[in-house]
Amino acid sequence: SLEYELVTGAILRIGVELPDLQDTLYLSAEVRWCLANLAPDTGWSAGFAILNAGDSDTGRWAALVDELES
C-alpha cells in the first residue's frame, strides 16, 4: 500500500523487496494505474510497467520472473 497517489504515466525508480532476497532490487518503472484502496484499507495501490534501463536491476528481475514461471 502506498501513502499517496501516484501520477499515471510518471517514470519512477522503485525498490522491490522480496522475502528470498537479501538486497533490494531497483527498477525503472512507468505508473500505469493508481487507485485508492477500498475501506477499511487506507492508502493507494498502483500498477507498474517495468522499463529496461541500464542502471536498474532489470536482468535480475527477468531471471526471477523466469524462475517463477518454470
Side-chain angles (χ1 to χ4, degrees):
S1 182
L2 303 167
E3 294 180 15
Y4 53 89
E5 182 178 12
L6 300 177
V7 176
T8 301
I11 306 296
L12 304 173
R13 182 176 168 128
I14 60 172
V16 179
E17 295 179 355
L18 300 171
D20 294 341
L21 293 180
Q22 293 182 359
D23 55 340
T24 302
L25 295 176
Y26 291 99
L27 304 167
S28 295
E30 178 184 355
V31 179
R32 290 295 179 103
W33 57 267
C34 188
L35 300 170
N37 293 328
L38 299 175
D41 295 330
T42 59
W44 301 82
S45 293
F48 299 93
I50 305 301
L51 305 174
N52 190 7
D55 64 341
S56 70
D57 294 319
T58 307
R60 288 181 59 205
W61 177 259
L64 287 169
V65 171
D66 285 344
E67 185 178 315
L68 290 173
E69 290 179 344
S70 2

